[in-house]
Amino acid sequence: MVSAVILAAGLSSRMTDFKPLLPFGGTAVIRHTVSRLLEGGAEEVVLVTGFLAPEVERLFSDPRVRFVHNRDYARSQMFDSARMGLAAARGEEIFLCPADLPQFAPELLKALSAVPGEAVYPVCRGKNGHPLLLRRGGLEAVFRHDGARGLKGALDKLETRTLETGDEGCLLDIDTPEDYCRLLAFRRDAVPTAGEREALFRLYGTPEPVRAHCGAVRRTALDLAAGVPGIDLRLLEAAAGLHDAARDRRDHPAVLAKELERMGYSRLAAVIRVHMDLPESMSETLDERSLLYLADKLVQGERYVGLDERFRASEFRFQDRPEALAAVRRRKAIAQKILERVQELHR
């Protein structure tokens, strides 16, 4: 079994608010920390509570989440809460992290698991991050430790390894109000995890043919982006892969964009919001918005069909409605202009 222990007992003395319950991504910080651990492969999460324990506990109904209460949270050290959580965990591998770490990549857990040693922690840009992986063979030394220098002192007695990672989210905990602002800014530029994307498809009941269309548009968008400078491929891939998730809703780009903004992904929301009807001014620049718009106009169902075939049915349908026909032709002309710019770069 793989376990995770989250330390949520402290008073957050350097913050004006209790860190685990700070608003983040449409819910509380600690909800995201838990969900990323579960998505990363943890089969149980042990939450060590203390201050505001009832408020924390009522956020969770998942049977995989259990609670251990540190009654002496106001006087004890973080290491005391860590030992309580580790003693309750049942896994052979246990990931330990603070409650206020909602942006590490779930994939980081598997990467840490691939590194041998009694303890493994991620290092990004020369700084130690979380979660920390502890293997059961090293726990006895942790429990025997006298508490000097807290968990760091205990780790000195273990075979400790590190994993170099580019995942900046492993560093983004919240010690000060400035840290919280940095975390919110990081979220605005981030993209949903695989689990969050799947949850969006479930939320809107996205049928399989629409999911397949999103996949085809994603592949086309990434092909178009090859050689285009300044494109955030991660952002473009996420936008294309999700763009029609709410297709069955009226004004579906705005519906999905609003939900993404609620989740804190405002940059992604801005790309998806204009994928059906791009303002002409945005066609002057090759960026994530214009490339998604073009890719969506080149694909019908799961097939790459080109602009003429893609727009043929709409032009025929609206041939007796001049205003609607003009709108269709305007969208086609914008797509053609973007395509010509891409083709110039690819020559």
Side-chain angles (χ1 to χ4, degrees):
M1 173 179 277
V2 177
S3 300
V5 172
I6 297 179
L7 307 180
L11 291 166
S12 304
S13 57
R14 284 187 283 177
M15 286 288 295
T16 54
D17 295 296
F18 184 50
K19 295 187 295 185
L21 298 182
L22 285 170
F24 187 78
T27 181
V29 163
I30 195 168
R31 286 280 300 271
H32 288 280
T33 306
V34 169
S35 67
R36 290 192 173 220
L37 288 165
L38 291 172
E39 184 177 338
E43 296 164 89
E44 67 165 5
V45 175
V46 177
L47 259 172
V48 184
T49 62
F51 183 57
L52 296 182
E55 286 82 347
V56 171
E57 293 181 15
R58 71 168 58 106
L59 291 174
F60 300 97
S61 57
D62 191 322
R64 294 173 294 178
V65 180
R66 299 189 290 118
F67 304 97
V68 174
H69 186 57
N70 181 355
R71 298 181 183 277
D72 198 31
Y73 66 87
R75 291 181 295 276
S76 62
Q77 301 298 312
M78 184 180 291
F79 182 62
D80 299 309
S81 291
R83 280 198 289 204
M84 291 177 65
L86 292 170
R90 297 173 291 191
E92 293 298 312
E93 292 189 337
I94 305 171
F95 291 93
L96 178 67
C97 73
D100 56 331
L101 196 80
Q103 277 298 125
F104 66 88
E107 297 78 12
L108 183 58
L109 272 64
K110 287 184 173 58
L112 289 166
S113 291
V115 180
E118 294 175 321
V120 187
Y121 59 87
V123 175
C124 181
R125 294 189 281 105
K127 299 178 182 178
N128 297 347
H130 286 93
L132 166 70
L133 169 59
L134 291 167
R135 293 192 165 94
R136 186 153 295 279
L139 289 188
E140 185 178 344
V142 175
F143 294 139
R144 288 200 312 264
H145 181 56
D146 62 7
R149 297 179 56 244
L151 186 60
K152 291 181 180 179
L155 291 179
D156 288 342
K157 302 174 182 179
L158 302 181
E159 179 195 5
T160 302
R161 304 287 181 85
T162 62
L163 171 72
E164 293 288 339
T165 178
D167 179 11
E168 293 187 36
C170 76
L171 304 176
L172 297 177
D173 58 357
I174 309 168
D175 289 329
T176 66
E178 292 74 22
D179 291 337
Y180 181 44
C181 290
R182 278 191 289 271
L183 181 63
L184 293 173
F186 185 89
R187 177 79 170 190
R188 286 194 291 270
D189 288 340
V191 298
T193 67
E196 288 174 327
R197 297 181 205 191
E198 181 60 30
L200 286 166
F201 284 131
R202 290 198 305 270
L203 173 66
Y204 297 114
T206 312
E208 189 54 43
V210 176
R211 291 190 184 211
H213 169 73
C214 288
V217 171
R218 177 181 59 81
R219 292 188 292 273
T220 299
L222 292 176
D223 287 344
L224 292 170
V228 179
I231 299 299
D232 185 336
L233 295 177
R234 180 195 51 149
L235 178 65
L236 179 61
E237 181 178 22
L242 280 172
H243 73 284
D244 269 354
R247 183 189 278 185
D248 289 343
R249 306 293 177 92
R250 183 178 180 183
D251 195 9
H252 72 269
V255 169
L256 179 55
K258 184 176 180 180
E259 176 62 17
L260 290 167
E261 286 169 349
R262 186 193 69 82
M263 295 171 67
Y265 296 118
S266 56
R267 190 172 172 219
L268 178 61
V271 176
I272 286 177
R273 187 180 293 278
V274 294
H275 83 264
M276 272 191 67
D277 197 5
L278 188 77
E280 190 164 1
S281 60
M282 292 184 184
S283 68
E284 302 298 324
T285 303
L286 290 180
D287 61 12
E288 296 82 10
R289 296 170 302 182
S290 58
L291 290 177
L292 172 58
Y293 177 83
L294 174 59
D296 189 42
K297 303 300 178 286
L298 291 170
V299 173
Q300 192 164 45
E302 297 179 58
R303 295 189 304 119
Y304 181 101
V305 296
L307 295 179
D308 287 337
E309 183 175 342
R310 178 70 165 77
F311 281 90
R312 186 177 295 130
S314 295
E315 289 174 326
F316 180 78
R317 184 186 317 134
F318 297 119
Q319 60 182 326
D320 296 326
R321 296 171 56 185
E323 188 174 329
L325 182 61
V328 169
R329 288 177 171 167
R330 181 188 65 81
R331 289 196 291 272
K332 181 180 178 181
I334 288 173
Q336 183 64 46
K337 182 190 298 186
I338 299 167
L339 179 59
E340 289 170 359
R341 291 178 183 274
V342 171
Q343 290 171 335
E344 285 176 11
L345 281 177
H346 285 179
R347 287 193 184 107

